[in-house]
Amino acid sequence: MLSRDRLGCVWTAKIVLLFSLSSLSFIAVNHAQLDNHGFISIDCGYTESPKYTDDKTGITYVADLGFTDAGLIHPVYPENMQPDLAARYNNIRYFPNGTRNCYTIRSLTPGAKYLVRAIFGYGNYDTLNKLPIFDLYLGVNYWTTVRIVNSSTAYISETISVSPANYMQVCLVNKGSGTPFIAGLDLRFLQPNLYPNSTETQSLVLLSFFRTTVSFGSNRYHFGTDLRHIRFPDDRYDRIWQRYEEVPTWTIVPDAISGNVTNAPNDTYDAPSAVMRSVSTLVNSSTMDLYWNLDGSMSVDFNDKYFVVLYFAEVETLQQNEFRQFDVLLDNTTLANGFRPEQMTTTVLTGTVQGSGSHSISLVPDLNSKPPLISGMEIFLVRPLNESATDSGDATAMMTIQTKFSVKRNWAGDPCSPIAFAWVGLNCSYTPSAPSRITALYMSSSGLIGEIDPSFGQLTLLQHLDLSHNNLTGPIPDFLGQLPSLSFLDLSSNNLRGSIPNNLLQRSQIGVLTLRVDNNPNLCTNHNCDPIRNPRKRKAILIAEIMAPVAGAIIIVAVVLLIIWHKTKKRQGGARASNPFESRRFKYKELRVITDDFKNIIGKGGFGFVYSGKLEDGTPVAVKMRSQTSSQGNTEFLAEARHLAKAHHKNLVTLIGYCKDRKHLGLVYEYMGGGNLENWLKGKEGCHAEFNLTWLQRLKIALDSAYGLEYLHKSCSPPLIHRDVKTQNILLTSNLEAKIADFGLTRAFSSETKTHTTTRPAGTLGYLDPEYYNTSHLSEKSDVFSFGVVLLVLITGRPAIITVNNTERTNLAHWVRGRLSEGDIENVTDPRIKGNFDVNSLWTVAELALRCTEQAGKDRPTMSEVAEGLRESLQLETLSHSKRSGSIGTNGSALTETESVGALESEQIEETLPR
Ligand SMILES: *[C@@H]1O[C@H](CO)[C@@H](O)[C@H](O)[C@H]1NC(C)=O
Ligand SMILES: *[C@@H]1O[C@H](CO)[C@@H](O)[C@H](O)[C@H]1NC(C)=O
Ligand SMILES: *[C@@H]1O[C@H](CO)[C@@H](O)[C@H](O)[C@H]1NC(C)=O
C-alpha cells in the first residue's frame, strides 16, 4: 500500500514538472494541435481509436483523419518488417491517385522552428513486391526522396525547418516509380535558438544512410554502451539517437563521475544528458576516425552541403598527470586545435563541407594525451528553401474553401507552388522572391452547396471568379464588391436570393466589372430591388457610375503635377511660389478617414483606384491612390508637363491636395459629381433617360470646355496643347459645369514656331487630327479639330467612330459632313433633343464644328473664335428656350421622363446668360 502510494506521488510530481516545464518553454506559442510537450505524433492509416499512448515512450499518437483527406489505408504485417518496430508501422496510408498528396498540420506559429519526421515501412503491404521511390516535400520545397531498398526495413526522414505560415504541409509526390505511402508523421516544436543553421531560407535534413549494425538510416548517433535508442523523455525534443556502428578498436569510457552532463549557457543544441554520458574512445591512443560516404539510397548531388554537429564532454575523472587533448578535423578543415572536452559539460563543434564522395571526421590526439573521445554526432544536408509559396492568406482561404465545400478536386498542398503542382482551376501570379497570389478561380459546376463563404473575400488579388452552375444559396455578400481587382464575377445558375450589393452594381455599371447573375430565380435584379428603389439613392449611384472612369484620367495629370511640384519646391528652396500645390498635404491615415477606409471605389485608372470621400467640412472629394504595381509616366512626359503646374482655370479640374506618406501616394481633387460627358451622352440602354442633356445644357458644356481649352492655348506660357480632347475628358460638376481633365498627353509647344514635331502622334481614334496624324506637326489646331468632333457628338449623340454596317466604319466628322451637305439637320440630330432646340442655334454650332474639322489646320478657327461662336449660339438658344418652356408645361405626357431634370434646368437658365 505504502509503496504504491509513494510511487503515485513520484509520478504525479514528474507529470507536474513536465507540465510546468513545457508551459514555461512554450509560453508565447499557441498550438491547438500540439500536445503539452509541443509534439504532434500521427499514426498514418490508424483508425481503431482517435489516439493511443505508447507505453515505452509515453508519447500519444493520434489517427491521421483531419490531417489529410486523400489516400487509402492498409495494414502492414509485422512479420514482414524488421523486429521491434513500434505499432505505428502496422498500418500505412497510401496514395494511388494524384501526383501530390499532402498532410496539413495547422495551428502552428509562423516563424517557429520544428523537427519534422516521417516514417515508412513497406512490408510488401500491397503484395506487389515492388519497392516504391517517391519524393517528399515540406510545403513547396523539396525535402528528400524516399527510396525503399529493402521491403522489411524502416525508413525515417527528418528535417529541422522554420514554418513560414501557421500551418505546415508534408506532401508525397508520385514520381512514377510506385505508389507513395507513409506510416507516421511527427512534429516537434524546437526552441527558436536551437539549430541556428536552420533558418527561413534553409532547412537541415538529417542525412539518411545505413551504417553497418545500425537500425535506421538517420545519422544522429550516440556513442554509449547501450545499443538502445535514446529519445523522449530523455531527449525533451524526441530526437532519436541511435548507437553508432560497432568499431573493433573502440571502447567505452568508464563513467566514473555520477550526475548529469549539463549544457553551456550559450548552448544552441540542447544535447540530452543521456546522450552525453555515453562516450566512446579508443583502446590505444591514436587517431579516431568517423566517416560518411554517399550510397545509392541517397538523393544527393555534387553541390549539396553537409552540416556536421559533434558533441563532446569529459565524463572520466582524470588523474593529476593525465590529460585528454586532441584536434578535431572535418576533411582538411580544423574545427578545433588542442581541444579539451570540459568535465560534465557539453561542448558542440560544428562544420560544413560540400561535395559528393566521402568525408571524414578525425580526432587526432596530442602527444601523451589520453585517447580522444566523442559523445554524439549529427550529419545534415543543407536544403535551400528557395521556392516561394502562395501568400499565406490566399492559401488559408483556399484551404477553407476546399474544406467548407468538400471540393472533390485533387487539391493538395500549396495552391500555386511549385508551378508543376499548382491546383487545377486557379491561376496564380508568380513574382520572384515574393509569395504567389491567386488571380483567378474557376469553380463552375463544382457541386458547391451553401452560402458564399467569406474566404472568397480573402483572396484579395482575385480578378476572375467563376462560381456559376452550383447550388449556392443565400445573399450575394458585400465582400465580393470589396475585392479591389475583381473584373469578372460569374454567379449565374445558382440559387442566390436578395439583391445585388451596390458596390458590385456600381463597378459593373462603370465598366470595371463583368457581372453575371442570370438564372438565379430568387435574385432581384431589376430596379425595384430594395437598395436602389429610392430614387435619390439611385441618382447617387448613377452619378458615381458616371463619374468614375473620368477620375482616373485626372489623376495622371495630378500625379505629374505633384512630382513637378516636388522638383520645383526643391529648386526654389521651399519658396512659396504660386502653384496649385500650396494645397494641403494629407497623411495616409487622414485619407483612410476621408474615404471611410477606401470603401467606395468610383473609378479605376492606369495608376490605381479612385475612391469617393469627404473632407472634415463635408466637401466631397475624389481620392486617387497610386497602386503599388503601377509604373509612373516617363521622364520626358514629366518634363513637358511641368508647365501644367501654372495652369489654373475654373474650367480645368482642380487638385485639392496630395498624400506622400511612406510608400503611399495619393491625390485629392475636387469631386466632379456629374461624371464625364461621354457617359451622359451614351445613354446606356435607355435606363438613364431622365438624365438626358438638353441642347441648352449641351451648349453650356461646350462653351465651358472651349474656355478651358482657350486658356490652355492663349494664357499659358509656353502655350499648351491638350492632345486628347474628347467627351470622356470633359468632366461635369453636379451643376453641370464642365471642366477639362486628363492632361496626360498634353505638350507645351515653342511660342516661336507655334508648331512642334513629335515622334508619334497620340490621341484617341475619331478625335485625332488627320493633319497631325499625317505630318506629325502638332499645333493648337489639333485640339480645335478634336473639339469640333466633341461638338458633333453633342449635336448627334453618336460616338466619334460610327459603324455604318458590318464591315464599314467611318468617323463622325466625315459622316455628318455628308448628311449636312444635303441641308437636313434633323437627319443628324440626337433624337433625345429633338423638338427642344432652336434650329438657328443648332446650325451655328454645326457649321462651327465643320470648320473645326477641316482637313487643313489653317482652315480651322482658333479656340477663341470657337468660344465666340458658341457664345452667340447659346444666346440664341437661351432666348428661344425660355419662349418654349411655356409650351413644355402643357405637353406633360411626353416629358414625364425628364421631369426631375426639368426643375434643375430652369434654375440654370438664369446663370447661363451673362458670361
Ligand atoms: C594496444 O596497445 C597494446 C600495447 O602496445 C597492444 O598490445 C594492443 O594490441 C593494442 N591494441 C589495439 C586494439 O591496437
Ligand atoms: C532551388 O534550389 C535547388 C537546389 O539548389 C534547385 O535545383 C532549384 O531549381 C531551385 N529552385 C528555385 C525555384 O530557384
Ligand atoms: C488562366 O489561365 C489560363 C491558362 O493559362 C488562361 O487561358 C486564362 O485566360 C487565365 N485566366 C485569367 C482570368 O487570366
Side-chain angles (χ1 to χ4, degrees), residues 329-601:
L329 300 170
L330 175 56
D331 289 351
N332 297 319
T333 312
T334 306
L335 300 185
N337 238 328
F339 170 66
R340 285 188 185 207
E342 265 191 78
Q343 195 132 58
M344 299 306 277
T345 302
T346 305
T347 303
V348 179
L349 298 177
T350 63
T352 304
V353 283
Q354 185 167 9
S356 53
S358 49
H359 298 279
S360 64
I361 296 151
S362 306
L363 311 179
V364 187
D366 285 11
L367 195 64
N368 300 327
S369 161
K370 287 183 75 86
L373 61 72
I374 184 164
S375 330
M377 175 174 81
E378 293 169 294
I379 306 171
F380 296 97
L381 274 164
V382 180
R383 277 273 193 257
L385 302 176
N386 54 0
E387 285 282 347
S388 36
T390 304
D391 169 79
S392 70
D394 279 4
T396 306
M398 284 312 300
M399 291 193 286
T400 309
I401 290 166
Q402 183 185 20
T403 312
K404 280 243 171 91
F405 294 102
S406 311
V407 177
K408 296 290 184 293
R409 299 182 189 182
N410 200 343
W411 279 0
D414 187 275
C416 298
S417 300
I419 297 182
F421 306 130
W423 293 7
V424 171
L426 45 82
N427 290 11
C428 303
S429 66
Y430 296 94
T431 326
S433 72
S436 316
R437 298 300 304 261
I438 294 168
T439 56
L441 181 55
Y442 299 88
M443 296 190 74
S444 182
S445 307
S446 298
L448 310 184
I449 300 172
E451 301 208 351
I452 297 175
D453 193 82
S455 305
F456 288 104
Q458 276 146 32
L459 300 167
T460 51
L461 286 194
L462 203 60
Q463 297 162 11
H464 188 108
L465 177 59
D466 186 351
L467 298 173
S468 61
H469 299 276
N470 285 299
N471 195 6
L472 294 169
T473 50
I476 298 179
D478 210 44
F479 54 72
L480 293 177
Q482 284 159 21
L483 290 171
S485 309
L486 196 68
S487 60
F488 179 93
L489 176 61
D490 193 345
L491 300 171
S492 59
S493 301
N494 277 291
N495 212 350
L496 298 162
R497 62 171 165 74
S499 55
I500 303 168
N502 277 342
N503 50 12
L504 284 174
L505 214 51
Q506 283 174 25
R507 290 175 57 184
S508 151
Q509 284 166 348
I510 63 174
V512 298
L513 173 72
T514 305
L515 178 64
R516 292 189 189 150
V517 292
D518 50 295
N519 202 11
N520 281 281
N522 299 319
L523 192 68
C524 173
T525 52
N526 59 36
H527 293 315
N528 299 327
C529 295
D530 237 351
I532 47 173
R533 185 182 293 155
N534 180 338
R536 267 225 192 109
K537 248 185 174 167
R538 193 168 161 215
K539 190 169 164 188
I541 291 168
L542 175 68
I543 287 171
E545 288 166 38
I546 292 174
M547 156 72 197
V550 175
I554 307 172
I555 287 54
I556 297 173
V557 177
V559 168
V560 166
L561 291 178
L562 176 59
I563 291 159
I564 292 159
W565 171 69
H566 263 277
K567 286 184 178 169
T568 321
K569 194 175 168 196
K570 249 187 226 157
R571 208 172 294 118
Q572 293 171 339
R576 289 171 67 88
S578 65
N579 67 49
F581 291 97
E582 277 179 330
S583 54
R584 183 169 160 192
R585 178 167 184 162
F586 292 89
K587 285 207 159 11
Y588 181 64
K589 253 188 356 212
E590 291 177 276
L591 291 190
R592 286 182 61 162
V593 174
I594 287 170
T595 59
D596 197 2
D597 216 356
F598 303 106
K599 201 162 110 196
N600 289 318
I601 296 176

Side-chain angles (χ1 to χ4, degrees), residues 17-205:
L17 184 66
L18 274 172
F19 257 86
S20 51
L21 268 180
S22 41
S23 53
L24 267 180
S25 355
F26 309 132
I27 202 144
V29 182
N30 164 36
H31 18 220
Q33 287 191 330
L34 301 195
D35 65 15
N36 51 25
H37 307 302
F39 294 178
I40 296 171
S41 315
I42 302 170
D43 186 339
C44 303
Y46 175 79
T47 51
E48 280 165 47
S49 61
K51 58 183 179 184
Y52 62 91
T53 300
D54 182 84
D55 352 322
K56 269 196 202 152
T57 56
I59 292 172
T60 297
Y61 293 96
V62 297
D64 65 350
L65 295 168
F67 294 96
T68 185
D69 52 9
L72 302 168
I73 62 173
H74 207 282
V76 179
Y77 298 105
E79 55 269 31
N80 292 340
M81 292 295 299
Q82 69 191 77
D84 297 333
L85 287 177
R88 272 215 288 184
Y89 289 89
N90 296 349
N91 34 261
I92 51 106
R93 183 175 290 274
Y94 66 108
F95 301 95
N97 299 316
T99 307
R100 178 172 65 165
N101 287 280
C102 303
Y103 278 78
T104 304
I105 300 166
R106 291 166 216 269
S107 305
L108 302 180
T109 307
K113 201 171 282 181
Y114 297 91
L115 180 156
V116 188
R117 182 162 53 210
I119 65 168
F120 312 87
Y122 173 56
N124 195 21
Y125 75 90
D126 53 5
T127 67
L128 295 174
N129 240 327
K130 193 169 171 288
L131 303 172
I133 301 170
F134 53 92
D135 280 347
L136 220 50
Y137 278 73
L138 188 64
V140 295
N141 287 287
Y142 171 71
W143 169 358
T144 193
T145 298
V146 178
R147 264 171 229 275
I148 307 296
V149 176
N150 185 323
S151 171
S152 61
T153 301
Y155 293 85
I156 298 180
S157 300
E158 192 187 298
T159 179
I160 294 175
S161 282
V162 171
S163 177
N166 62 356
Y167 58 89
M168 256 192 184
Q169 294 187 310
V170 172
C171 302
L172 295 89
V173 173
N174 193 323
K175 293 160 64 99
S177 308
T179 303
F181 72 93
I182 184 166
L185 189 57
D186 291 331
L187 196 83
R188 309 289 182 240
F189 174 83
L190 301 182
Q191 287 300 330
N193 64 326
L194 293 188
Y195 294 90
N197 288 47
S198 159
T199 64
E200 268 144 30
T201 57
Q202 65 179 38
S203 58
L204 298 176
V205 173

